[in-house]
Amino acid sequence: MIQIELQQYLLHNYPQENARCEWKEFKNLKNSFCGDEKDDVISYVSAIANMEGGHLIIGVQDKTLEIIGTDTYNYDRQKAVLRLTERCVNLSTEGLDIEEFITDDTNRKVWVIHIPKHRPKLPVYAHNKAWQRIEDSLVEMTQERLNAILEENSPTFDWSAEIVDDASIEDLDPEALKKARAEYKAVHPRLTDEIDTWDDMELLCRAGVANKGKLTRAAILLLGKPTSIHFIHPAVATVTWVLVDEHDEKVDYEHFTIPLLLTVDDALSKIRNLNQRILPGGTLFPDIVKQYDEYSIREILHNCIAHQDYTLQERITMVETSDSVTFSNGGFFLPGTVRNAIEQNGPQKFYRNYVLCQGMVNFNMIDTIGRGIRKVFTEQKKRFFPMPDYQIDQAKKEVTVKIYGKLINEKYYRLLKANPDLSLYDCIALDFVQKHETIDKDMATRLRKLHLVEGRYPKLYLSEYVVKTTDNNELKTEYIKNRSFNDSHFKDMIISYLRSFGGATRAELNTLLESKLSDVLTDEQKIRKIGNLLSALKKDGVIKLSEKKKWILVEV
């Protein structure tokens, strides 16, 4: 086709831009194929796939479809398709294709990329983000659209529900069965006498992890002997605890496998839950608390087991440092966001491992009313500790939760303790501030009105208001001690000292000022502060460094 014929062909088949069709120039694919997010080929492929699928036409002028041509660099169609599947996580290869047109008269190349619709419950990601079209704009996927995809109906597959034909009661751990019976009674106390009449298989059927006398994979996970692990191969049923020192070096580790009903206790016992003695300002009596709330770390590990995608063949990990424990499991975070999980008032609409979750509920490991994550946040609030950090990497199919076992900023502890009526969302926002993360303007305005934060948006910091409004004289004294004077005060001190003694070494000036600077500053920050004061005075022509390496006043 000559150029005008190709333009007419494209106008006939792809007559307008919409959620299913995009026209882009992309004159050179060297930097435009996988370039800047929101403005490259893979971002547009993600956006189109996340709606109903469609077409991306490359090498044409936006708005007019005039043939401009594109330099495909070193891509051919096969290589480009491979690159798309590598860079666009969850992109289906079924229906993915590239048509290439080269005009006979002007030798201009145009590509039409045919993009399949996303698969059920699987958003397509580019640059670790899911994209979509809203009118003429390419934007990061809205939560509503993400929820719509995650809640789509699809052929039901529950890995944990699959029957293990060759397994029998003899492949289960006797101690795990004994514990399962006791926990089932705890969950269903009104059935205690009846439960005593059941044999083990009936108990497992009632608990939902066996079906018609056959064991499911869930039963093997929770109750199986370690030697029964081959029944669920190639899935990995391992919880790994790793201890890391202050240099990020691994100093110890241990693996725990089935039966998980028993071994979770062994895994959790590896975490050193030491007493923390916190001495908030204004008291001689410390608050003594454990580093970790027992419910919280148990709930998070049980969630990892319940929601792990066992088809990914990955371990569940617990990485312990001196001040935190980080839990990780494979799979999408089904609520979509942490906020959704916190606000959820009822059971989840979808469970990855329904049968496994059902068994864990009946064996008193988890509940299904959706309060677990919210309760973890609430327990940290009660203890005045930093909130958990959730990292949800939907593209890599990984969920990571970090639980803090030490304070980050004592001001946060004091503010929460002095303001017991703060909402959970207020506390989460304050936690963002102490971690130097940005909060939205409305929340910043609210926290400022409550005198909880100071500073100019978005660089906020925790307020000392709890101290300034107290009647406790000891707290007021501490506040004044921690509050630093302005720079001019310290510059006057330096000038007065040099005038009185004719000069001073840096060490002498350090001795003069270190005890006067705010106790909020570390020793290193104090030394840097003094250096900045000297540099400012030198720049203003007030002082200079003599040949004897002493600071002296400049003679006027």
Side-chain angles (χ1 to χ4, degrees):
M1 284 185 284
I2 61 174
Q3 184 165 312
I4 186 63
E5 291 173 336
L6 177 57
Q7 185 177 10
Q8 291 172 349
Y9 169 83
L10 295 174
L11 282 169
H12 179 266
N13 288 280
Y14 313 103
Q16 63 180 3
E17 290 185 290
N18 50 40
R20 289 183 50 82
C21 184
E22 183 75 39
W23 307 338
K24 299 300 295 182
E25 289 189 15
F26 289 141
K27 295 178 181 178
N28 191 317
L29 295 189
K30 180 179 181 180
N31 297 317
S32 298
F33 199 88
C34 305
D36 296 332
E37 67 175 41
K38 196 179 175 181
D39 194 29
D40 60 2
V41 171
I42 64 172
S43 297
Y44 280 95
V45 169
S46 166
I48 293 170
N50 284 328
M51 301 307 288
E52 297 298 321
H55 317 279
L56 174 63
I57 295 89
I58 296 174
V60 298
Q61 191 173 72
D62 194 13
K63 308 298 183 186
T64 68
L65 255 183
E66 180 183 345
I67 306 300
I68 303 297
T70 182
D71 178 0
T72 55
Y73 186 49
N74 64 346
Y75 289 105
D76 56 30
R77 293 165 54 204
Q78 184 177 0
K79 185 176 179 180
V81 168
L82 178 61
R83 187 77 162 170
L84 285 173
T85 57
E86 289 175 345
R87 295 289 181 167
C88 295
V89 177
N90 296 332
L91 181 64
S92 174
T93 57
E94 187 174 352
L96 178 64
D97 191 23
I98 298 177
E99 277 190 281
E100 182 176 274
F101 300 91
I102 302 176
T103 58
D104 295 329
D105 53 345
T106 57
N107 199 38
R108 291 178 176 174
K109 184 182 295 184
V110 171
W111 271 8
V112 178
I113 303 178
H114 302 287
I115 304 161
K117 179 183 177 180
H118 65 88
R119 289 171 289 184
K121 301 185 186 296
L122 291 176
V124 175
Y125 293 83
H127 302 292
N128 205 28
K129 297 178 182 178
W131 302 92
Q132 73 175 93
R133 277 283 301 271
I134 295 182
E135 296 182 350
D136 292 333
S137 300
L138 190 71
V139 299
E140 192 171 350
M141 184 179 287
T142 64
Q143 190 59 52
E144 291 76 13
R145 180 58 189 158
L146 179 60
N147 289 341
I149 292 177
L150 293 176
E151 293 175 4
E152 285 177 334
N153 291 324
S154 64
T156 302
F157 174 73
D158 180 350
W159 178 91
S160 69
E162 294 294 300
I163 295 296
V164 184
D165 287 318
D166 298 332
S168 68
I169 288 290
E170 285 69 32
D171 295 301
L172 305 184
D173 186 282
E175 288 300 314
L177 282 167
K178 184 178 178 180
K179 182 177 176 66
R181 186 176 293 271
E183 296 297 343
Y184 193 95
K185 288 180 179 180
V187 175
H188 307 283
R190 290 181 295 178
L191 299 177
T192 297
D193 293 338
E194 182 181 348
I195 293 168
D196 287 335
T197 67
W198 300 344
D199 62 18
D200 288 338
M201 183 55 76
E202 183 168 359
L203 172 71
L204 300 181
C205 288
R206 297 290 187 108
V209 296
N211 188 5
K212 297 180 180 179
K214 294 286 188 178
L215 300 179
T216 64
R217 288 169 173 166
I220 301 296
L221 279 174
L222 296 177
L223 309 166
K225 295 176 180 177
T227 54
S228 301
I229 194 73
H230 65 90
F231 284 118
I232 58 173
H233 183 78
V236 176
T238 302
V239 176
T240 297
W241 165 80
V242 181
L243 180 63
V244 176
D245 65 15
E246 65 273 15
H247 304 295
D248 206 27
E249 296 289 336
K250 296 178 182 177
V251 295
D252 199 3
Y253 70 92
E254 191 167 344
H255 303 298
F256 302 88
T257 186
I258 61 174
L260 294 177
L261 181 61
L262 298 181
T263 55
V264 288
D265 290 331
D266 299 329
L268 289 170
S269 70
K270 301 297 295 186
I271 297 174
R272 302 166 301 172
N273 198 1
L274 306 176
N275 283 331
Q276 291 289 298
R277 288 171 172 80
I278 302 170
L279 190 67
T283 180
L284 298 176
F285 303 99
D287 293 338
I288 301 176
V289 294
K290 289 287 189 182
Q291 278 188 280
Y292 308 106
D293 171 60
E294 293 282 355
Y295 168 86
S296 296
I297 57 176
R298 183 174 294 276
E299 174 71 13
I300 292 172
L301 179 55
H302 283 168
N303 278 344
C304 288
I305 293 169
H307 302 300
Q308 168 89 332
D309 186 344
Y310 291 93
T311 65
L312 297 177
Q313 302 172 31
E314 295 178 359
R315 291 190 180 97
I316 295 166
T317 61
M318 305 187 305
V319 179
E320 180 184 357
T321 69
S322 62
D323 58 6
S324 68
V325 181
T326 301
F327 300 80
S328 298
N329 72 275
F332 293 117
F333 188 68
L334 297 177
T337 67
V338 176
R339 189 180 185 97
N340 285 348
I342 291 173
E343 292 178 346
Q344 187 168 291
N345 292 320
Q348 284 184 196
K349 295 180 179 179
F350 174 77
Y351 289 90
R352 176 177 291 110
N353 304 304
Y354 178 77
V355 168
L356 175 59
C357 290
Q358 189 178 20
M360 294 178 74
V361 168
N362 282 313
F363 297 149
N364 206 23
M365 298 175 75
I366 60 172
D367 63 55
T368 58
I369 62 174
R371 65 182 179 185
I373 291 177
R374 182 183 179 89
K375 189 172 180 182
V376 171
F377 277 82
T378 301
E379 290 301 320
Q380 290 295 90
K381 173 180 180 288
K382 289 178 182 177
R383 289 153 42 85
F384 318 123
F385 265 49
M387 293 293 165
D389 286 344
Y390 272 78
Q391 293 185 0
I392 301 166
D393 193 329
Q394 299 282 45
K396 292 182 179 178
K397 302 181 183 179
E398 183 178 69
V399 180
T400 300
V401 187
K402 181 177 182 179
I403 295 291
Y404 289 85
K406 286 185 179 178
L407 302 186
I408 296 174
N409 187 332
E410 192 176 298
K411 291 181 185 178
Y412 176 83
Y413 185 92
R414 295 203 302 264
L415 286 170
L416 262 59
K417 193 170 186 180
N419 296 274
D421 295 330
L422 289 178
S423 73
L424 180 58
Y425 295 109
D426 292 334
C427 296
I428 292 172
L430 275 178
D431 182 65
F432 269 62
V433 173
Q434 76 164 336
K435 292 171 182 173
H436 308 293
E437 298 179 22
T438 302
I439 61 177
D440 64 60
K441 287 187 176 181
D442 290 341
M443 180 55 77
T445 300
R446 170 175 168 76
L447 295 183
R448 187 175 280 110
K449 286 180 179 178
L450 293 172
H451 306 288
L452 298 174
V453 298
E454 299 175 5
R456 179 177 295 179
Y457 186 85
K459 295 184 178 180
L460 304 174
Y461 54 90
L462 299 179
S463 173
E464 292 282 4
Y465 184 78
V466 62
V467 178
K468 288 184 280 187
T469 58
T470 183
D471 292 329
N472 188 316
N473 289 329
E474 191 175 351
L475 279 178
K476 290 179 179 178
T477 301
E478 182 197 17
Y479 174 69
I480 295 300
K481 182 180 178 183
N482 287 337
R483 183 178 178 181
S484 183
F485 294 98
N486 59 33
D487 288 354
S488 62
H489 171 79
F490 295 113
K491 289 178 181 179
D492 288 343
M493 287 182 65
I494 294 171
I495 293 168
S496 178
Y497 190 92
L498 297 182
R499 183 175 291 118
S500 298
F501 298 99
T505 64
R506 173 61 189 272
E508 290 171 335
L509 293 174
N510 287 347
T511 301
L512 170 70
L513 297 177
E514 277 187 276
S515 63
K516 309 295 189 301
L517 290 168
S518 169
D519 286 351
V520 172
L521 300 177
T522 65
D523 290 343
E524 182 182 348
Q525 289 171 328
K526 289 180 180 181
I527 296 299
R528 192 180 302 120
K529 173 77 171 178
I530 295 168
N532 291 339
L533 293 168
L534 294 173
S535 296
L537 287 170
K538 180 182 177 183
K539 184 177 180 180
D540 292 341
V542 178
I543 65 173
K544 66 180 180 180
L545 199 59
S546 71
E547 293 179 359
K548 295 182 179 181
K549 302 299 181 184
K550 282 193 171 186
W551 288 102
I552 60 174
L553 293 172
V554 174
E555 297 178 3
V556 180

